[in-house]
Amino acid sequence: MNAIPPPLGIVCELTHRCPLQCPYCSNPLELARAGAELGTDAWLRVLDEAAALGVLHVHFSGGEPTARKDLPDLVRRASANGLYTNLITAGVLLDAAAIDRLKAAGIDHIQLSFQDVIAESADRIAGLAGAHERKLAVAKAIRQAGLPLTLNFVVHRHNAERVPEMLALAESLGAARTEIAHVQYYGWGLVNRAALLPSRAQLEFTLQVVQEARARLAEKMVIDYVVPDYYAQRPKACMGGWGRREMVITPTGKAMPCHAADSLLGFEFPSVTDTPLADIWSNAPAFRRFRGTDWMPEPCRSCDRREIDWGGCRCQAFAMTGDAARTDPACALSPDHALMLAVAEGRPEAAPAFVYRRIGHAPASVSAEPVPAEATV
Amino acid sequence: MNKAVSETVVPTFPPGVKFRFDSVRNAWVLLAPERLFMPDEQAVEILKLVDGVRKISEIIDILAARFADTPRDVIATDVSAMLHELAAKGALRL
């Protein structure tokens, strides 16, 4: 028998609404409007089905998930179902009372994003005046409520020098975990790649700082580090492998193996509104398409890392080559690797202006919006 | 040096870490932020004794009584190594 192991995690993108406009947002360029969002009952059913299927972690994400008034109800149901509940938030809509409501509902952990450590720069990146100050207050309120906190910093050419201060801020705020995550160049990040891509020297600096901090803060703070693909030799295990560990549900109920897989032309993703989660996971052609290693071309097929990186990222292969079934060009063994090198080498001296993430703000020339991904080293 | 001190420590699961039985996989799982651990049988027996009250030495004593064939210092080494490994990953507080 060939039963597919159940997913470990599910990302519930409750909404695309967000008060921030970060130019590297992992949401697709085509943002769903509020009226198209799943209702509370549909999300409650998804949470029931997820638990029955064997999901362990549920990540409430967005957009900004706290923009949904029913968030505490969803957290309560997930928690009652035994799911580990994680809130991924920009924090600016939260206050102490809202945090208490989430705590009472059973939230297990909150991941709070920061754009920088300098308010002026952070607010410019977020496209929201006053955001940084509010986030600092929210971080303190989360800790005062006794909830565990992760600080997430997205790193790029405009803030890479301040990774030491980012880690110091996380330490001073009592975060048990910090993510230093380079921008992943899909979707809005791809649109803004020339404005965001760090230099190789910046990349090396951030890695060195993280390694030193890990040694210094062992048993005090967990630090996860996500590299940008453009200077990589080997690809990341995008989502831990296609259809292998994670499932993403979009605000409108589309089920996908990663955040923006609907950028892959020719794919049809099932909806949780008419198909049970277990059926989607096991049987949906879109989930089976790149699962495992059978789909792989060379050089992946005979590579001894094929079950380590699972061929890298399908959306990156598609964005760079137009063919989602090719080896991720981030891999130095890929016949398309020169495409990545050319981008890194062609990085402009002066950064162009941001294209901020807003509904209806995507440039018309960019129609495909591939994925963000977790590549932890 | 830290080892001699450590047996008096009371290990706890920090906020945000859950140790529970998963009936779908028929296995114990340790859940932490963005982390999942599938402890082996031996680790499960140790983690079941982590209650926020027992010291490491008391956990070792219980296991030593239960597994009388194994010398206490062997058990002590295993318990200490496992707990420190999980602490380094943020899944346990020592």
Side-chain angles (χ1 to χ4, degrees), chain B residues 8-59:
Chain B
T8 65
V9 165
V10 176
T12 53
F13 295 113
V17 175
K18 287 178 153 179
F19 181 55
R20 73 167 178 88
F21 189 75
D22 171 34
S23 56
V24 174
R25 290 170 185 78
N26 201 30
W28 284 84
V29 292
L30 187 60
L31 303 170
E34 301 284 345
R35 293 278 194 286
L36 163 67
F37 304 92
M38 301 268 198
D40 63 20
E41 235 173 283
Q42 192 184 337
V44 166
E45 291 311 311
I46 298 168
L47 291 174
K48 280 180 178 172
L49 296 171
V50 171
D51 61 358
V53 178
R54 289 191 187 99
K55 295 174 191 157
I56 293 180
S57 60
E58 292 168 318
I59 292 173

Side-chain angles (χ1 to χ4, degrees), chain A residues 74-126:
Chain A
L74 303 182
V75 170
R76 192 173 299 110
R77 178 68 69 91
S79 185
N81 287 345
L83 295 164
Y84 186 104
T85 56
N86 179 28
L87 175 64
I88 299 174
T89 180
V92 297
L93 304 177
L94 287 171
D95 57 20
I99 291 164
D100 284 344
R101 280 196 293 278
L102 289 167
K103 189 183 180 186
I107 197 78
D108 288 311
H109 171 258
I110 297 180
Q111 174 174 318
L112 180 62
S113 69
F114 277 86
Q115 281 63 41
D116 203 332
V117 290
I118 299 172
E120 189 189 348
S121 169
D123 291 355
R124 184 178 78 87
I125 295 163

Side-chain angles (χ1 to χ4, degrees), chain A residues 114-179:
Chain A
F114 277 86
Q115 281 63 41
D116 203 332
V117 290
I118 299 172
E120 189 189 348
S121 169
D123 291 355
R124 184 178 78 87
I125 295 163
L128 180 67
H132 188 72
E133 279 303 310
R134 289 169 77 167
K135 285 162 180 269
L136 289 173
V138 166
K140 285 171 191 153
I142 291 167
R143 293 299 298 132
Q144 264 162 21
L147 288 168
L149 173 68
T150 287
L151 256 49
N152 163 277
F153 291 93
V154 175
V155 175
H156 43 78
R157 73 182 286 169
H158 301 282
N159 63 10
E161 277 73 21
R162 289 184 288 281
V163 170
E165 291 82 2
M166 294 174 189
L167 291 164
L169 178 63
E171 215 184 333
S172 73
L173 289 171
R177 182 171 166 274
T178 302
E179 288 185 358

